Amino acid sequence: MENGGSLEERLERLESIEEIRGLAARYCLALDMRATDAWVSLFPADVRVGKGRSGRDALAEWFRETMGAQFTGTAHVTGNHIIEFDGPDRARGVVYSRNEHETGDEWVIMTMMYWDDYERIDGRWYFRRRLPLYWYATDLNSPPIGENKMRWPDEEPYEGAWHEFWPTYQEFWETRLDESADVAEPAPVGEFLTWLRDGAEELPSVRVR
């Protein structure tokens, strides 16, 4: 959706961008402080949780089980937040996240990003969906060189869809020596993310941690 419209519409768009960015920050704080009610309130009442379950009660149950079983403490720091709109009440975005986890006797560091869908309901923005894309997770003292960079204690290493999600990464390695390739035109305004995705609609299967 291109920028434009009346002054009032443009101001409303700026307010929405600020609220969505605040949504990501509140997500991190509520997650790290184990504020279950605050965390689930960032999602709509009919949020899909998976395995046929939906709703904030089911999401809260998942949160308590996951956070209680895996981590003593965590810290999430986000940045590089890109937000684009599909209408006045729908948006999508990407936000990087650098995370630290105390798990057992190991300190696991992680770099990832979220592919987000946002929805405004009754004047308030929510996460409609968050798809995590992981680059690596590893003990602080073990650089994740090589393949299968998701390296959690007592688990087999695996890939986290960090590059799989973006066709440009594979294309670069396949065509980087092709000097005849034309440089593409800039992305349409407000469509940078879908442009990078090259119109792909299918989402990879990601093992959520």
Side-chain angles (χ1 to χ4, degrees):
M1 182 176 182
E2 294 188 2
N3 294 330
S6 67
L7 178 59
E8 182 179 356
E9 290 171 334
R10 295 170 69 181
L11 287 174
E12 182 180 357
R13 179 62 49 84
L14 290 174
E15 290 179 347
S16 292
I17 290 173
E18 186 62 23
E19 184 177 345
I20 291 171
R21 287 180 174 160
L23 195 64
R26 292 192 293 275
Y27 178 99
C28 293
L29 179 60
L31 176 65
D32 293 334
M33 298 304 111
R34 304 299 186 264
T36 306
D37 290 347
W39 189 78
V40 301
S41 74
L42 305 176
F43 296 83
D46 61 345
V47 57
R48 294 178 59 186
V49 181
K51 297 182 179 180
R53 298 185 300 168
S54 63
R56 291 184 181 132
D57 287 343
L59 185 61
E61 181 181 353
W62 177 89
F63 181 86
R64 287 190 292 265
E65 290 175 353
T66 303
M67 294 297 106
Q70 297 181 358
F71 312 117
T72 305
T74 55
H76 292 69
V77 180
T78 58
N80 297 352
H81 200 169
I82 303 171
I83 301 166
E84 297 176 348
F85 290 85
D86 293 317
D89 298 318
R90 296 273 186 173
R92 60 186 173 274
V94 162
V95 58
Y96 277 60
S97 187
R98 170 77 176 186
N99 314 328
E100 301 194 24
H101 311 77
E102 183 181 8
T103 174
D105 59 358
E106 295 196 39
W107 197 273
V108 176
I109 57 175
M110 173 192 285
T111 293
M112 61 173 294
M113 68 177 73
Y114 292 99
W115 173 266
D116 290 334
D117 289 322
Y118 312 108
E119 182 177 359
R120 184 163 56 180
I121 302 172
D122 295 330
R124 181 173 181 176
W125 284 98
Y126 296 93
F127 293 111
R128 170 51 68 182
R129 177 181 59 186
R130 302 206 88 184
L131 177 68
L133 304 169
Y134 305 108
W135 186 26
Y136 70 82
T138 189
D139 183 83
L140 180 64
N141 298 308
S142 302
I145 305 301
E147 298 180 349
N148 296 321
K149 297 181 186 295
M150 294 299 295
R151 302 173 187 176
W152 290 99
D154 303 320
E155 292 186 14
E156 288 296 319
Y158 60 95
E159 292 292 338
W162 172 269
H163 293 129
E164 179 186 351
F165 188 77
W166 305 98
T168 53
Y169 189 80
Q170 184 66 30
E171 291 170 3
F172 172 82
W173 293 108
E174 292 175 349
T175 64
R176 65 190 178 93
L177 299 180
D178 183 2
E179 297 181 357
S180 64
D182 295 329
V183 175
E185 292 295 321
V189 174
E191 298 181 23
F192 186 76
L193 296 177
T194 53
W195 183 70
L196 281 182
R197 284 272 287 152
D198 196 25
E201 295 184 0
E202 184 176 351
L203 300 178
S205 177
V206 181
R207 181 177 172 182
V208 177
R209 181 66 176 187

